[in-house]
Amino acid sequence: MMTVLFCSCDSRREESPVIPPVNYPLSRLSVGYGVVTASYIHVLAEPKSDAASMGYVRRGSIVEIMERRQVHRNGDSEPWVLIEGSYNGWLQEANIQIYDNESQAKTAAENLR
């Protein structure tokens, strides 16, 4: 038993740095894809309800999600997502379903129609 302990604690071994491989979750530019579940929703310039509208997206629209953010106001916390699509801007997360990839989002969008 002691032999195993001494062999595993050999101080002559050099340490080598751990370099994580480049993989999809760590290297992707977007968070995922979203499918709009509300009849229609305004895409806002900022993550707040009274921000200027940049346009709107309809139920079943697929958008690329670039960022997710918790916005704190008056003691409440509300999740928002920054999207790219027909319009670029912010949506309340409650109005979309989020998927890991575009294929899953397309399948979900087809089921909404």
Side-chain angles (χ1 to χ4, degrees), residues 22-34:
V22 176
N23 59 29
Y24 186 69
L26 296 177
S27 63
R28 64 185 178 183
L29 298 175
S30 68
V31 174
Y33 290 84

Side-chain angles (χ1 to χ4, degrees), residues 5-44:
L5 181 63
F6 286 120
C7 290
S8 65
C9 296
D10 187 7
S11 62
R12 292 177 284 161
R13 294 183 187 172
E14 292 183 28
E15 292 184 18
S16 59
V18 176
I19 301 171
V22 176
N23 59 29
Y24 186 69
L26 296 177
S27 63
R28 64 185 178 183
L29 298 175
S30 68
V31 174
Y33 290 84
V35 176
V36 177
T37 56
S39 297
Y40 74 93
I41 182 95
H42 286 273
V43 179
L44 303 174

